Amino acid sequence: MSSPDNGNHNIAATVFHDLRRQILSGQLAPGERLPGERELAATYGTNRNTLREAVRRLEQTRLVTVRHGQGVTVANYRRTGTMDLLSPLLEASTNLSEVAHILQDILPARVLVLEFAARLAVQRADKSDIERLRDITDLLVSAFEGRDPTVMAHGFQRWLDALIDAGHSVAIRWIANPFLEAYRDLLDRFPVLWVLDASFPSHLREFLKALEDGNEEATVAAVRSYYSNIDEAVLRTLAELRASSRT
Amino acid sequence: MSSPDNGNHNIAATVFHDLRRQILSGQLAPGERLPGERELAATYGTNRNTLREAVRRLEQTRLVTVRHGQGVTVANYRRTGTMDLLSPLLEASTNLSEVAHILQDILPARVLVLEFAARLAVQRADKSDIERLRDITDLLVSAFEGRDPTVMAHGFQRWLDALIDAGHSVAIRWIANPFLEAYRDLLDRFPVLWVLDASFPSHLREFLKALEDGNEEATVAAVRSYYSNIDEAVLRTLAELRASSRT
DNA sequence: TGAAGACGCCTGGTTGAACCAATTCTGACC
DNA sequence: GGTCAGAATTGGTTCAACCAGGCGTCTTCA
């Protein structure tokens, strides 16, 4: 079990990712016991210290529990986990059906988070926040008209970042981070999910205007309506992909 | 620098908690560089391997970044962190003012999470979920009338757990977990924040009835009104504590 | 015969030393 | 003054030994 895997030149990290994938994909079920550290180290062709780093990282992410004298057991992470597991879980999902099932739960929560972020932004954004959002909006709109997907994808990440920053709240930043991370990773993996209809520029403009006017309800409504549309399109695209992959 | 600290008989965990506290309390500022592993190990009176476990756990929680050849630097966790840091951050806060400032941001988000959980519960709860909530409600109401704070605190944790479970959503569970953890730790530290007015039983009953009726808006409204009240009372109590501690 | 305790074997926890590898600093050299 | 080789520093990996918790077994004794 060599594991050339990714370009990561870090043995402990490689082992960690491999074990995490095995757990999140169900190959290692909750309650199941992992081999001992000595055996695992031999399996991965490394030594105990390096392997222990990987296991402790698993423990830190609540994927396993380690007890002196008893060994390492896979934790019931669906109950005890946190959103940090979102991106890895999507990454470990082997088929579109699983991804769709997870997204059905996640996307409404994401809308809620972004609504909350928008509300905070209206209340707390200063001039530089709004200016930053306006710059990114201009960039996104021109990229949209020029059909430049790379600039758009990158720009949209920046737009979300700017929205979160405008809330000036550690809480919303910490809540949003796992969503943003999962969103980025998911688009890297399934670029087809990058769904945008012709209303994209007008929605961005509408949001910006509501924010500048300090109209809280209009700002929140703009975010809600836009992302609800996006999410429906994403789920619809996923359903089509699943249908076509079965043929 | 011994560190008898908590009852944890685990050197790496002890060092991890100590460094985490130093970072979250601001003693170690973002961008600052930590001493080398060899030096840190000597400082804590342990060896490099054990100390490395502590540092890797810090890295896993995004509190530091580690780069080969460059050392360990404190990360800008306010920007890159996740809600996992909430409870440790509150724990590291040395004065009530900091706690109050954090809670002002967190509590509205918590209400939102619980509203979302309530909405999911209405849509997805089965008979056993409702029965479980009813049992806990009965227990809580009788404990309230009997003024039994221990039973109440424990029971209320169970009530929140049951509400989350009734949503049958991994997403809401993962989102809620850091809140529940922080809530529990905070009440352990500041029992005075355990604020309940006389309307507590009726609010619980009202929520349960709306849930049983499948009335989504009424259920969400019950959660919102109750927790908005609670949160106002908590912030008010905190403000009073700060005022009295300054005299 | 049955229960109590000693032992052995599993497990993770800790240690110290040595070496590999990435980065940066230093100073000689051109 | 700029360049580059190499030393110094830092994390990355390996090894081998021992400490310590948990559990089953096997002996011993009542």
Side-chain angles (χ1 to χ4, degrees), chain B residues 116-129:
Chain B
F116 188 54
R119 205 175 290 277
L120 284 174
V122 173
Q123 293 165 4
R124 304 185 180 178
D126 56 30
K127 277 186 185 176
S128 67
D129 292 322

Side-chain angles (χ1 to χ4, degrees), chain A:
Chain A
M1 199 181 288
S2 51
S3 302
D5 283 44
N6 43 36
N8 199 335
H9 290 246
N10 189 311
I11 300 177
T14 306
V15 174
F16 166 66
H17 283 119
D18 187 60
L19 287 173
R20 186 177 67 176
R21 187 188 47 71
Q22 286 190 45
I23 293 173
L24 291 174
S25 71
Q27 288 175 49
L28 290 169
E32 198 169 335
R33 207 163 141 279
L34 265 63
E37 292 181 349
R38 293 161 177 85
E39 189 180 340
L40 264 183
T43 305
Y44 281 102
T46 184
N47 63 86
R48 237 185 106 198
N49 279 319
T50 300
L51 180 122
R52 271 172 68 86
E53 283 195 14
V55 174
R56 316 327 290 277
R57 289 181 67 175
L58 289 175
E59 187 186 22
Q60 188 66 20
T61 43
R62 311 188 196 205
L63 284 172
V64 301
T65 59
V66 181
R67 274 170 303 179
H68 193 171
Q70 286 184 265
V72 181
T73 55
V74 178
N76 182 11
Y77 56 88
R78 287 183 177 273
R79 185 174 181 89
T80 58
T82 71
M83 287 295 285
D84 285 338
L85 293 176
L86 174 57
S87 189
L89 177 65
L90 287 169
E91 194 183 325
S93 297
T94 49
N95 62 66
L96 284 171
S97 195
E98 282 175 19
V99 172
H101 186 250
I102 298 168
L103 284 187
Q104 259 170 355
D105 268 17
I106 293 291
L107 291 180
R110 186 187 66 148
V111 174
L112 218 58
V113 169
L114 291 175
E115 282 181 39
F116 188 54
R119 204 175 291 275
L120 284 174
V122 173
Q123 294 166 2
R124 304 185 181 179
D126 56 31
K127 277 186 183 176
S128 66
D129 293 322
I130 292 182
E131 194 173 335
R132 184 174 158 210
L133 276 165
R134 183 161 43 219
D135 288 347
I136 301 175
T137 298
D138 291 343
L139 184 142
L140 276 173
V141 170
S142 62
F144 181 79
E145 290 165 351
R147 308 206 175 287
D148 189 336
T150 308
V151 174
M152 286 218 53
H154 181 228
F156 202 58
Q157 302 289 342
R158 284 179 53 206
W159 187 86
L160 285 170
D161 246 3
L163 171 63
I164 304 295
D165 283 339
H168 294 279
S169 158
V170 177
I172 190 64
R173 167 54 72 183
W174 286 0
I175 293 173
N177 272 343
F179 285 91
L180 301 186
E181 185 191 351
Y183 183 61
R184 188 179 342 106
D185 294 349
L186 202 62
L187 287 186
D188 283 346
R189 189 168 159 205
F190 302 113
V192 70
L193 288 182
W194 177 252
V195 184
L196 286 180
D197 58 28
S199 67
F200 177 67
S202 64
H203 268 110
L204 279 181
R205 297 279 186 213
E206 179 188 345
F207 168 84
L208 194 60
K209 182 170 188 314
L211 180 65
E212 285 171 331
D213 293 345
N215 187 336
E216 184 167 319
E217 292 313 318
T219 311
V220 173
V223 169
R224 172 163 44 222
S225 69
Y226 180 59
Y227 277 95
S228 298
N229 278 340
I230 288 280
D231 292 352
E232 279 172 25
V234 167
L235 290 177
R236 199 162 49 236
T237 307
L238 266 177
E240 288 167 8
L241 284 176
R242 284 159 64 192
S244 66
S245 68
R246 270 198 294 268
T247 58

